[in-house]
Amino acid sequence: MINKHPQAKTFNHIFIAGIDGKRFDISIKDGRFSSIVESHNDQQTHPSKDLWISPGVIDLHTHLAWTDFDHTDQMKRDSREIEVMQAQAFEATLRTGVTTTRDAGGILPSTVQHLVSHYQQPLRVQTSSDMLGAADARGLKHLEQRMTEIFDTGASWIKIMATGGLGAPTEKVLDPIFSEEEFSFIVRNAHAHHRMVMVHTWGGVTVDWSIHAGVESVEHGMFLTENQAGRLAQSGIAFVPTTSIYRIAADPKGVLALNQVICDRAARAAEAHSKAISYAKRAGVHFGFGTDYATPALHGYNLQELDTLIDYGLTRAEAWQAATESAADILGSGHELGHIAEGYIADAIIFDVDPYQAQNADTLRKSIVSVITGAQESDLIQALAGSNG
């Protein structure tokens, strides 16, 4: 159940996920947490069923506009079918407790406005609108023009495809797509226009360029070295590894059912990820939660990323922090999202099991009682309209 912008709601004797042994009385007013007080230890007033509250999950790397893994398949669909599938992606994402996303390329702010308004799905979305990739490695003049087009859409992020991905041959996947001059120009120009920069890179020299240029986040990074992890930590740049998608893609009988060549590349990436995360954790890198989910078979299963992060070495508390508090900080929204705290937007998930003790994401997803979104559709539409201004 999605509880949109509650005018007044109270939870008595509820647990806050991650705080052991204490219950709280929590009030929400006009879509924000208005009061959070520790409950008195009166067993007679405890509810018949224990409930836990967590901040809404923030997915920093989704593709809400995509309907198919292969974009040529999406081109075969008519516009109405695509719109309905995008609206379903919004709904599925919200239903699983993800209340805020950063779209990593593909959806325009104007499309988000339409989907939020027409389908009444109050998902908070920051956008990058498009991706700068191989077709844009044509010099600074071309890049300036392309970036102006992206700025004009109202996107708050610039996405750089710095290396290849699953579509690239193994021996070439770390090769830079842009020259160092082009890469540095993109970051400088984005920052000059008050946009943040996210970088798709599997590793190699483009991680070094990202650190030197001062981007906001590095995505994927499965071939991150120990030295790079140390410098990433020192720079304060966030690492959004998107681990679960590669395990999913590596399974030829899984939901994506990819060909064996792609599966093998994904398996190699998945194997490398655990080492990269070990380096990053040891160095104190700032982790963010992102799934890279982009099809109907994946939207709504975002919590699987928690399982993979934990399997690769993060504690449960660290994984949850990456999905809430840290993710909000990466978006520049740490002052109003990512916490159960007075004055914060009441984006939250209510569970009937302790989410820190749930066996896996499947158990966690089935234990969701309701998802609360503090924003109204009109609030989100107005915010997106402001970014276009």
Side-chain angles (χ1 to χ4, degrees), residues 179-231:
S179 69
E180 185 174 5
E181 181 186 28
E182 289 171 325
F183 185 96
S184 298
F185 171 79
I186 294 169
V187 180
R188 267 196 329 273
N189 193 35
H191 287 166
H193 287 83
H194 310 291
R195 264 61 171 199
M196 295 176 282
V197 179
M198 58 192 299
V199 179
H200 163 113
T201 172
W202 277 33
V205 70
T206 56
V207 175
D208 301 321
W209 295 354
S210 297
I211 295 168
H212 185 261
V215 307
E216 277 66 38
S217 70
V218 166
E219 316 291 305
H220 316 308
M222 62 285 290
F223 296 107
L224 184 76
T225 68
E226 187 170 14
N227 178 272
Q228 287 173 331
R231 288 185 287 120

Side-chain angles (χ1 to χ4, degrees), residues 292-305:
D292 207 6
Y293 289 178
T295 68
L298 296 173
H299 292 307
Y301 294 89
N302 309 60
L303 300 181
Q304 292 175 129
E305 182 69 14

Side-chain angles (χ1 to χ4, degrees), residues 109-154:
S110 57
T111 304
V112 176
Q113 284 179 280
H114 173 70
L115 293 171
V116 170
S117 173
H118 188 71
Y119 294 91
Q120 283 79 56
Q121 297 296 335
L123 180 66
R124 187 176 287 101
V125 184
Q126 289 192 15
T127 69
S128 56
S129 292
D130 203 352
M131 298 177 286
L132 295 174
D136 299 305
R138 294 161 50 189
L140 305 191
K141 185 175 181 180
H142 170 79
L143 283 169
E144 185 173 23
Q145 180 181 339
R146 279 282 288 122
M147 292 179 74
T148 298
E149 294 169 357
I150 294 173
F151 298 153
D152 287 346
T153 68

Side-chain angles (χ1 to χ4, degrees), residues 167-179:
T170 299
E171 67 276 9
K172 294 184 177 182
V173 74
L174 301 187
D175 292 353
I177 286 174
F178 294 97
S179 69

Side-chain angles (χ1 to χ4, degrees), residues 26 130 141 155 224 273 282 308 314:
I26 298 177
D130 203 352
K141 185 175 181 180
L224 184 76
H273 244 144
R282 196 156 56 235
T308 320
L314 296 193

Side-chain angles (χ1 to χ4, degrees), residues 8 93 104 107 227:
T93 300
I107 201 163
N227 178 272

